Amino acid sequence: RNHYNLTILIPAYNEIDRIGETLFTYINYMKHQPVYQHVTTTSSLDNQSAVISTGQCSILVIDDGSTDGMCGYIQEKTWLDDQSSNDDLNEGDNCWKVEEQVSCISLPTNQGKGAVISRGMIKLQCSAEERNEHGNTRTRSIVLVADADGSGDIACLDDMIHSLECLLESSSTTIKAATTAAAAKLHGSFITSCQFCE
């Protein structure tokens, strides 16, 4: 069984006019999107099986010293397209469990996109307790870095997770023993990294 902890990390500076549409699109897409189910292949090419997967998704915005009140705007708004909650979805649909409240961290000064992404990755680094939260379940902690203007197509998510899973399957035992997989730039403006434990 796989459990995906997905965080969409959005660095932003004075994006109050554009980030709202991006958050609305991402949250409502994920809320109704079934979790990616990975198909593994054994030594026999004809012997394939789907790995049952569950997933949680959250969004973290790092405000790079904005002066337009963007962080307050994000925290005050509700980004759902209706009043239903995750509990209202059919459990059999196996959709992503989405944190409906967007987190926002404000930096005191403008530091640039690279520094903001680094700050976000440090914030999101998995602790041993978090990695073991799901017991014997194999956890994939994925950070998806996206632009505030929504230029990345969130519908590419399954393709990106599939690429990461294929990377892990093809990696050597030594690489698999590491705590992180190499970051990969996939599908346009998205940057993904994957942290995992067996």
Side-chain angles (χ1 to χ4, degrees):
R1 179 183 291 269
N2 283 342
H3 179 80
Y4 296 104
N5 283 327
L6 171 67
T7 302
I8 301 175
L9 174 62
I10 303 178
Y13 175 69
N14 286 343
E15 292 282 2
I16 194 170
D17 292 331
R18 298 194 292 180
I19 198 168
E21 183 177 353
T22 300
L23 296 176
F24 182 87
T25 299
Y26 286 2
I27 286 180
N28 289 289
Y29 175 84
M30 294 300 299
K31 185 172 179 290
H32 299 284
Q33 177 68 11
V35 179
Y36 168 80
Q37 304 296 313
H38 186 57
V39 176
T40 60
T41 303
T42 61
S43 56
S44 171
L45 294 179
D46 295 328
N47 189 4
Q48 295 183 332
S49 61
V51 178
I52 299 174
S53 300
T54 57
Q56 291 178 294
C57 174
S58 61
I59 297 179
L60 173 62
V61 176
I62 306 293
D63 180 355
D64 190 17
S66 295
T67 58
D68 61 355
M70 182 184 65
C71 195
Y73 166 75
I74 289 170
Q75 294 175 327
E76 291 170 1
K77 292 278 288 183
T78 299
W79 301 106
L80 291 178
D81 59 356
D82 53 48
Q83 297 303 311
S84 63
S85 67
N86 283 305
D87 295 335
D88 296 328
L89 294 173
N90 188 327
E91 190 170 312
D93 291 340
N94 197 31
C95 292
W96 288 87
K97 307 303 180 188
V98 181
E99 290 186 20
E100 299 169 1
Q101 181 65 41
V102 174
S103 298
C104 187
I105 296 175
S106 290
L107 303 184
T109 59
N110 182 261
Q111 301 176 24
K113 187 172 183 179
V116 171
I117 292 174
S118 296
R119 175 70 174 82
M121 295 298 289
I122 292 171
K123 171 71 176 176
L124 296 171
Q125 186 174 11
C126 277
S127 67
E129 291 77 16
E130 289 172 328
R131 292 198 299 269
N132 292 327
E133 178 183 356
H134 297 278
N136 294 326
T137 298
R138 181 171 52 185
T139 299
R140 269 64 161 116
S141 293
I142 301 173
V143 178
L144 179 67
V145 180
D147 289 336
D149 62 3
S151 58
D153 184 1
I154 192 64
C156 292
L157 178 65
D158 279 5
D159 290 337
M160 287 185 281
I161 296 179
H162 175 73
S163 297
L164 288 169
E165 288 287 359
C166 290
L167 172 66
L168 299 183
E169 284 186 352
S170 63
S171 298
S172 67
T173 302
T174 301
I175 295 176
K176 283 187 176 182
T179 56
T180 59
K185 185 172 184 179
L186 302 167
H187 303 282
S189 64
F190 283 133
I191 300 173
T192 61
S193 69
C194 181
Q195 183 178 56
F196 61 95
C197 56
E198 303 292 342

